Amino acid sequence: MYEIRFHGRGGQGAVMAAQALAEAAVLEGYYAQAFPYFGAERRGAPVRAFARIDESKISIKSQVYEPDVLVILDESILEIDPISEGLKPGGKAIINTVKRPEEVDLGIEVECGTVDATTIALETIKAPIVNTSILGAFARVVDIVPLESILNAIMNRFGEKLGHQSGVMNAEAARIAYQKTVVGRSKGTRKVVGKKMWLPTWNEIPIGNTLSPGEIDGIVVGPGSMTQNLTGTWRTQTPRYSKEKCIRCLRCWFSCPEGCIERLEDDYERWDYRYCKGCGICAEVCPADAIEMVRGVYEW
Amino acid sequence: MKVISADHAVAHGARLARVEVVPAFPITPQTLIVELIAEFINDGELDADFLPVESEHSAMSAAIGACAGGARAFTATSSQGLALMHEMLYAAPQNRLPVVMVNVNRSLGAASGIWVEYNDSMPERESGWLQVYIEDNQEALDMVIQAYRVAEDREVMLPMMVCLDGFVLSHTVERVDFPDQHLVDSFLPKFKPLYLLDPDEPVTMNPITPPEYAMEMRFQLHRAVDGSKEVIEKVDREYGALTGRTYGGLVDTYQMEDAEIALITLGTVTSTARVVVDHLRSEGKKVGLIKLRFMRPFPSDELESIAENLKALGVFDRSVSFNGFGPVFTETRNALYHLGTPLTNHIAGLGGRDVTFKEVREMFTVIEEHAKGHRVKECHWHGLRGDS
Ligand code: SF4
Ligand code: SF4
């Protein structure tokens, strides 16, 4: 059995990638499954998805802890999560990055494919949604599912959900990524440390499902603790605001899920980049095209 | 002393317990309770806020909120009203908010009826609420007071449902003695919440709980419900010392010292069963009665020691799990599994059908046969037309 773990951020399409891969495997005559694990936070937050491929019916319903393949849709997660944890020594990794495989340190030396999936996605589907590009790279590195089946699965899933044209563009992104993927070996020098997590026994948890302001094992909890959660670190693209174009309708201010757009006394907007997670909703709702999402992490 | 209905006895219990917030929605046969409480407040006999809410869901939400805000909260409901609260019921135990609610038992759902059956409250024993079932009007008043003492005990801090039979108690008048207010005050100190929902010193109640913590929290609640047993027994003894009235804590017994067979009952059928036991004793039969008071916590160990020497035991149920048994029977069989006592289930009184002396007598006949080693059916429906 082949077990694959996807790491991405909410909005990048890790779940769709896992589903499309499973469908591609089924088209090849395999049995397959795919499922997500979501935390409480959404767009921009680290998410995981899992897929399994086997020659016979797959029964197991728990998460993947020792993957054969890691698919990393967002390089920045390497810095916050020990994502190569459990990767089998003979395993493989596919990473969305501008780096070459030998420049990537996974904490384990494995066969590794790198591709600048974000650029490919922005150029082909005009959005930084990298799930289909990364599947092209997957076909290049892992020879279990050929590119043709991946393209068919993408056409099926994306075409059905988002329309035929979208299916075609996403398949194109996968094809380009397949060609541009560089295959080599990753570095394995970084020490992978498990994320420190507060895992109390039942009698150590404060009773009453209630948290007073304070710290538990170095983590700020209770009211106001979300201010410590710097969602700005999730950002892969940044809104750029044009004061000239802005007609001050306040739609962006009203729609930002992080509440990080402030209205100044002169009636113009200001962005708090500590919390702006780069979701692009403000740009989407702006009727005056006064907000442009720009690739990268900036403070204008 | 007064001659009043159980509904009014409950209202007096709430008054004596000095409840502070009463959000409520009327529903037969509970309405008399909240009407009388509203009168107490209006007449200045009770210093409390009465919130006439638009549904039972809101009544429970408001009671939970009031309790989180540090107030002693009371509400009452019945049947469909309890079902409408179902969602909110689950918030109070995990947040450890000791709301006290009286549920006047009434059959739930189609076929619609306003008469007693336990199919409204029995399903809620999964919610984490403590549940006590009441036999008479005096116990109704006393248990509202005791309920606050148990629920608000630092070792417990859990909500409690006081269940009483619709009409058979709620609208039946009996003599009820009132404890002096100063006695109740000394027995029941002012409510102190674990955390106070106070805008000036905010806390986070009910944050989303990922799987990494949910199991441990459930186990904590599991232990808390179990741990309330000791407090229930202690509070009943203390109340007895103060007023001269005790109820046996989790489970009470009648004529059990040398009994060879017995019946487990709860609610008002217990009273009728007492008369049947007296009658059978006068015939020289060694029969006894076990009055189950609490469904949560369920007194498994206590039942095991009471039933140890019995030749056969019957279990009365006023609700049924279709295709299965009554809930009291299922729980009792679990508790007595290791004893292997021969058990039979006796379903009666559904939808408010009167449970008569004759029917309870029949139950004992089956149990007697069983004790003699004769084959009997496991589950009997008494008062049913046609074979069960
Ligand atoms: S400012 Fe715009 S991009 Fe940033 S979080 Fe708010 S809506 Fe999303
Ligand atoms: S939505 Fe656009 S036009 Fe409206 S206030 Fe925001 S930036 Fe200005």
Side-chain angles (χ1 to χ4, degrees):
Chain A
M1 181 158 49
Y2 243 83
E3 297 187 299
I4 303 117
R5 193 168 69 204
F6 291 77
H7 294 267
R9 292 185 180 276
Q12 288 180 323
V15 180
M16 278 285 265
Q19 290 175 348
L21 177 62
E23 182 159 342
V26 170
L27 291 177
E28 278 299 304
Y30 291 106
Y31 287 86
Q33 62 170 206
F35 57 98
Y37 179 73
F38 291 117
E41 298 134 331
R42 310 213 23 220
R43 212 164 244 265
V47 295
R48 289 171 177 219
F50 309 93
R52 286 192 176 93
I53 301 172
D54 203 356
E55 275 160 6
S56 51
K57 189 170 157 55
I58 298 162
S59 276
I60 190 161
K61 284 281 187 290
S62 85
Q63 296 176 17
V64 170
Y65 296 96
E66 292 180 355
D68 300 281
V69 184
L70 271 186
V71 181
I72 302 161
L73 284 77
D74 191 310
E75 193 187 1
S76 70
I77 300 177
L78 278 172
E79 305 307 319
I80 55 169
D81 244 358
I83 56 184
S84 56
E85 215 169 35
L87 179 62
K88 290 188 183 139
K92 298 178 181 192
I94 293 110
I95 309 176
N96 170 20
T97 175
V98 294
K99 294 182 190 149
R100 297 182 54 81
E102 58 275 16
E103 295 167 328
V104 176
D105 192 347
L106 280 176
I108 175 168
E109 201 213 304
V110 288
E111 190 179 336
C112 176
T114 60
V115 66
D116 181 4
T118 307
T119 299
I120 295 171
L122 284 172
E123 282 170 3
T124 355
I125 57 172
K126 313 285 180 236
I129 304 172
V130 297
N131 50 3
T132 42
S133 320
I134 208 86
L135 284 182
F138 183 93
R140 180 72 182 279
V141 178
V142 185
D143 53 12
I144 188 162
V145 188
L147 182 65
E148 270 321 298
S149 291
I150 296 237
L151 298 182
N152 287 339
I154 289 174
M155 281 304 294
N156 288 352
R157 294 199 85 72
F158 288 76
E160 210 169 83
K161 205 173 163 193
L162 307 166
H164 179 75
Q165 189 49 33
S166 170
V168 171
M169 287 186 330
N170 275 286
E172 182 58 15
R175 196 192 312 274
I176 296 171
Y178 180 83
Q179 286 152 4
K180 292 201 170 167
T181 300
V182 184
V183 184
R185 289 191 79 77
S186 70
K187 272 196 293 194
T189 47
R190 169 207 298 257
K191 224 173 107 64
V192 176
V193 240
K195 196 161 153 199
K196 194 171 169 214
M197 226 190 143
W198 180 55
L199 291 174
T201 61
W202 66 269
N203 48 2
E204 289 165 350
I205 294 186
I207 71 167
N209 196 13
T210 297
L211 295 167
S212 303
E215 263 188 37
I216 297 177
D217 277 2
I219 299 161
V220 181
V221 296
S225 59
M226 278 307 280
T227 57
Q228 310 289 316
N229 192 1
L230 298 177
T231 42
T233 60
W234 301 353
R235 199 163 73 247
T236 53
Q237 45 169 7
T238 305
R240 177 162 53 193
Y241 171 62
S242 157
K243 228 173 152 178
E244 292 67 40
K245 287 191 190 165
C246 176
I247 55 168
R248 282 151 293 171
C249 69
L250 293 180
R251 281 202 205 171
C252 57
W253 172 83
F254 187 77
S255 307
C256 173
E258 293 298 323
C260 61
I261 302 175
E262 287 170 59
R263 186 183 179 188
L264 295 186
E265 274 173 13
D266 61 8
D267 225 15
Y268 288 106
E269 312 294 307
R270 191 180 69 201
W271 269 248
D272 185 341
Y273 291 107
R274 289 174 307 160
Y275 301 107
C276 168
K277 60 187 184 181
C279 68
I281 290 174
C282 52
E284 191 74 31
V285 299
C286 175
D289 279 336
I291 304 168
E292 183 195 355
M293 296 307 292
V294 181
R295 190 173 169 187
V297 183
Y298 303 94
E299 291 202 18
W300 305 106
Chain B
M1 188 261 284
K2 270 190 175 172
V3 179
I4 51 173
S5 68
D7 271 5
H8 281 181
V10 161
H12 281 285
R15 173 180 61 76
L16 288 161
R18 296 190 192 275
V19 300
E20 294 166 294
V21 178
V22 184
F25 190 85
I27 179 170
T28 302
Q30 165 282 118
T31 313
L32 301 178
I33 299 175
V34 292
E35 275 177 356
L36 186 57
I37 291 180
E39 269 178 46
F40 289 152
I41 296 171
N42 181 61
D43 299 348
E45 288 174 57
L46 175 63
D47 183 14
D49 288 315
F50 188 88
L51 311 177
V53 289
E54 77 280 16
S55 76
E56 284 88 353
H57 189 281
S58 306
M60 185 41 63
S61 306
I64 287 168
C67 189
R72 182 167 287 158
F74 176 86
T75 188
T77 193
S78 198
S79 183
Q80 337 281 348
L82 183 62
L84 187 50
M85 287 178 178
H86 177 74
E87 178 191 2
M88 292 317 299
L89 285 184
Y90 280 68
Q94 197 77 69
N95 278 337
R96 308 299 283 273
L97 297 170
V99 175
V100 169
M101 169 164 70
V102 169
N103 180 60
V104 181
N105 286 108
R106 157 179 166 179
S107 70
L108 177 61
S112 287
I114 54 171
W115 302 276
V116 58
E117 184 170 334
Y118 297 158
N119 67 347
D120 56 351
S121 57
M122 283 295 171
E124 302 299 0
R125 59 199 204 285
E126 322 293 33
S127 65
W129 281 64
L130 308 183
Q131 269 193 357
V132 62
Y133 288 77
I134 299 299
E135 184 183 346
D136 60 32
N137 295 6
Q138 184 68 55
E139 190 178 3
L141 180 143
D142 290 333
M143 276 319 288
V144 171
I145 297 167
Q146 282 201 24
Y148 280 108
R149 224 346 250 292
V150 172
E152 294 171 4
D153 189 291
R154 294 314 256 192
E155 299 297 313
V156 179
M157 293 304 273
L158 288 170
M160 184 147 151
M161 201 181 291
V162 178
C163 301
L164 58 93
D165 293 13
F167 295 105
V168 188
L169 274 191
S170 67
H171 289 61
T172 298
V173 296
E174 287 180 338
R175 172 192 162 138
V176 176
D177 290 320
F178 291 7
D180 285 341
Q181 182 70 62
H182 76 269
L183 277 188
V184 179
D185 289 344
S186 69
F187 176 75
L188 191 60
K190 211 175 150 28
F191 168 48
K192 276 203 232 59
L194 279 180
Y195 306 91
L196 192 60
L197 196 59
D198 175 1
D200 292 332
E201 282 175 55
V203 292
T204 307
M205 285 187 168
N206 250 336
I208 186 165
T209 307
E212 288 85 358
Y213 306 101
M215 282 268 303
E216 284 70 22
M217 288 175 45
R218 293 289 185 259
F219 190 77
Q220 215 176 50
L221 187 52
H222 175 65
R223 276 298 182 89
V225 173
D226 199 49
S228 67
K229 286 183 175 181
E230 253 174 63
V231 178
I232 288 166
E233 301 279 1
K234 182 189 79 185
V235 165
D236 190 42
R237 280 195 302 272
E238 278 182 36
Y239 193 79
L242 225 52
T243 63
R245 289 187 299 273
T246 58
Y247 294 95
L250 293 159
V251 52
D252 200 12
T253 56
Y254 182 63
Q255 301 282 21
M256 284 301 292
E257 293 73 30
D258 60 344
E260 290 174 353
I261 63 166
L263 178 67
I264 296 182
T265 57
L266 72 174
T268 52
V269 168
T270 308
S271 299
T272 306
R274 285 179 200 277
V275 185
V276 176
V277 166
D278 287 345
H279 177 81
L280 293 172
R281 282 269 167 186
S282 74
E283 291 175 357
K285 295 188 164 133
K286 292 192 169 167
V287 301
L289 181 65
I290 301 168
K291 174 188 176 184
L292 180 68
R293 300 189 67 237
F294 280 80
M295 278 304 282
R296 283 294 178 274
F298 193 79
S300 303
D301 298 342
E302 293 74 4
L303 282 181
E304 201 175 338
S305 58
I306 294 168
E308 211 168 17
N309 298 315
L310 291 177
K311 291 188 179 148
L313 175 63
V315 182
F316 160 74
D317 262 297
R318 202 159 201 156
S319 60
V320 63
S321 180
F322 300 106
N323 175 245
F325 298 90
V328 185
F329 178 77
T330 307
E331 302 253 6
T332 304
R333 187 148 68 169
N334 274 347
L336 304 186
Y337 177 73
H338 297 289
L339 277 187
T341 313
L343 288 177
T344 43
N345 193 188
H346 302 273
I347 301 196
L350 301 189
R353 178 75 57 90
D354 198 26
V355 182
T356 61
F357 177 95
K358 186 173 148 274
E359 279 159 15
V360 179
R361 175 74 186 80
E362 256 172 46
M363 296 176 196
F364 275 103
T365 308
V366 175
I367 304 163
E368 271 181 296
E369 288 296 300
H370 207 192
K372 284 182 201 152
H374 295 160
R375 254 184 98 91
V376 294
K377 272 185 303 176
E378 211 168 17
C379 186
H380 301 252
W381 288 50
H382 298 270
L384 179 83
R385 292 184 296 278
D387 292 341
S388 70

